[in-house]
């Protein structure tokens, strides 16, 4: 039986239009991307912080996998990028990942972004990256903005060694247990925190880690109302207890304990604070004892936090 050989060239399909993006009022063409997964860092607030490589990747990709497509669409519209958006978030299941793997195996380039900053840092994406590696598909990181690095370089604390914890547990008891586990880490701590939990978290951190630890609270980094508060944990806890929860996204940076900052326990001061706590709130008790003794209010407040938490644990 003879086999028929068709030597005719296949008809070419419609050519894919060149991918473009707009920057500084000028349109630029993005080079095609090889198949694979591209992990793209995007601005944490200021849209001008995006890199040209990130724009080229987002424009040339066959699809952009976004944690919240509404957030990412704002960035893409700003730079004239029309790449299709696909939702990929913490609730995306294995079936979704399998579809993404099949798309890349068929020759597509997919870009993965989070709402802001570098993907996978306290954001979904790890399982997709793991599945992509297991499938033998190339992965290309496109570096750029990061809330972690932005906060730590502006905090004024040692950067030679640091530990990123992310979000602490929401409930105070579990949060204090986790802080106790972090207390001995020989480096600067970097934490994310929800604005409405910030005052309570700082109080727990002051009580567990020590009110004398240097710290910084960075809010709305790179945005219009960016603020960075620096000081001791006790004073920051007191400040936010008085002011209430801030608005916007927050990063907390905490320095290591310093031996010479540890003070001997003043039993008379403790007795005064304990008596005041029996009748007043932590804030009012600290103010009263500070007035009576002439001690600095932040020192008394830090000790009151420790004693109050200790009493809660015994209850």
């Amino acid at each position: 039986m003879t086999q028929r050989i068709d030597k005719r060239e296949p008809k070419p399909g419609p050519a894919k239009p060149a991918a473009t993006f707009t920057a500084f009022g000028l349109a630029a063409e993005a080079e095609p991307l090889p198949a694979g997964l591209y992990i793209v860092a995007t601005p944490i607030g200021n849209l001008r912080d995006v890199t040209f490589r990130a724009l080229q990747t987002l424009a040339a990709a066959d699809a952009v996998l976004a944690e919240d497509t509404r957030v990412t669409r704002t960035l893409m519209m700003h730079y004239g990028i029309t790449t299709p958006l696909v939702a990929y978030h913490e609730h995306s299941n294995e079936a979704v990942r399998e579809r993404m793997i099949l798309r890349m195996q068929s020759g597509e380039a997919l870009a993965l972004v989070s709402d802001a900053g570098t993907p996978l840092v306290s954001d979904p994406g790890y399982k997709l990256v793991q599945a992509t590696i297991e499938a033998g598909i190339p992965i290309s990181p496109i570096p750029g903005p990061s809330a972690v690095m932005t906060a730590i370089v502006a905090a004024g604390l040692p950067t030679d060694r640091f530990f990123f914890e992310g979000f602490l547990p929401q409930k105070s008891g579990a949060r204090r247990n986790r802080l106790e586990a972090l207390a001995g880490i020989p480096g600067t701590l970097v934490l994310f925190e929800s604005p409405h939990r910030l005052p309570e978290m700082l109080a727990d951190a002051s009580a567990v880690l020590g009110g004398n630890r240097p710290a910084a609270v960075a809010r709305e980094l790179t945005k219009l109302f960016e603020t960075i508060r620096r000081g001791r944990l006790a004073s920051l806890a007191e400040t936010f207890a008085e002011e209430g929860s801030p608005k916007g996204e927050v990063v907390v940076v905490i320095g290591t304990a310093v031996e010479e900052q540890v003070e001997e326990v003043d039993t008379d001061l403790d007795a005064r604070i304990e008596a005041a706590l029996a009748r007043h709130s932590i804030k009012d008790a600290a103010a009263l004892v500070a007035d009576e003794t002439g001690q600095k209010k932040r020192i008394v407040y830090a000790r009151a936090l420790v004693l109050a938490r200790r009493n809660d644990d015994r209850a």
Side-chain angles (χ1 to χ4, degrees):
M1 181 177 178
T2 60
Q3 183 178 5
R4 181 180 178 182
I5 299 175
D6 190 347
K7 295 183 178 181
R8 291 175 298 175
E9 292 291 331
K11 292 182 179 180
K16 183 179 177 181
T20 61
F21 63 93
T22 303
F24 303 108
L26 301 174
E29 189 171 313
E31 295 181 3
L33 294 172
L37 182 64
Y38 295 79
I39 305 171
V40 184
T42 57
I44 60 176
N46 193 319
L47 294 181
R48 291 175 295 180
D49 288 338
V50 71
T51 68
F52 281 113
R53 189 178 175 207
L55 293 176
Q56 290 173 337
T57 303
L58 295 176
D62 292 287
V64 175
L65 313 184
E67 185 178 2
D68 187 332
T69 56
R70 296 167 299 178
V71 174
T72 303
R73 185 174 286 110
T74 300
L75 171 69
M76 294 175 65
M77 288 178 62
H78 185 81
Y79 288 103
I81 298 172
T82 59
T83 306
L85 284 162
V86 177
Y88 185 84
H89 43 70
E90 61 182 340
H91 302 298
S92 297
N93 57 25
E94 187 174 351
V96 175
R97 288 188 287 276
E98 288 177 354
R99 289 199 296 271
M100 298 304 107
I101 295 297
L102 287 173
R103 291 184 66 166
M104 289 185 283
Q105 287 176 333
S106 68
E108 291 192 5
L110 301 182
L112 174 66
V113 302
S114 62
D115 280 354
T118 301
L120 279 70
V121 181
S122 280
D123 285 310
Y126 162 72
K127 291 181 180 179
L128 177 60
V129 171
Q130 189 178 48
T132 303
I133 293 171
E134 291 173 355
I137 298 171
I139 292 178
S140 300
I142 313 298
S146 164
V148 175
M149 298 309 301
T150 303
I152 198 170
V153 299
L157 297 171
T159 57
D160 55 334
R161 183 183 299 173
F162 63 90
F163 181 86
F164 173 64
E165 172 65 12
F167 287 94
L168 292 169
Q170 296 183 18
K171 294 187 177 180
S172 183
R175 184 165 54 234
R176 293 200 299 271
N177 288 338
R178 183 57 190 159
L179 284 166
E180 287 175 359
L182 298 173
I185 290 178
T188 299
L189 303 177
V190 185
L191 311 168
F192 287 165
E193 190 51 90
S194 171
H196 71 272
R197 288 196 300 269
L198 179 64
E200 184 180 340
M201 186 277 271
L202 289 173
D204 283 339
S206 178
V208 174
L209 302 177
N212 270 332
R213 282 208 189 200
V217 175
R219 184 184 71 88
E220 292 291 84
L221 287 169
T222 78
K223 299 178 184 178
L224 181 62
F225 297 105
E226 173 183 281
T227 57
I228 302 174
R229 298 277 190 88
R230 303 173 183 87
R232 301 294 174 182
L233 263 178
S235 63
L236 289 171
E238 182 181 358
T239 295
F240 284 98
E242 292 175 350
E243 295 182 1
S245 301
K247 293 182 179 180
E249 298 185 355
V250 173
V251 184
V252 179
V253 185
I254 303 173
T256 55
V258 182
E259 289 186 8
E260 56 266 30
Q261 294 175 342
V262 178
E263 301 175 359
E264 293 184 5
V265 174
D266 186 332
T267 55
D268 179 62
L269 180 63
D270 280 5
R272 288 174 179 270
I273 295 173
E274 292 274 17
L277 286 172
R279 306 186 304 274
H280 303 284
S281 66
I282 297 175
K283 177 183 172 183
D284 291 342
L288 285 170
V289 174
D291 289 341
E292 290 174 359
T293 62
Q295 290 267 23
K296 291 183 178 179
K297 186 178 178 181
R298 64 176 180 80
I299 295 175
V300 179
Y301 185 81
R303 188 60 186 165
L305 283 170
V306 173
L307 295 175
R309 298 299 180 191
R310 184 185 298 169
N311 291 339
D312 287 344
D313 291 339
R314 290 172 180 169

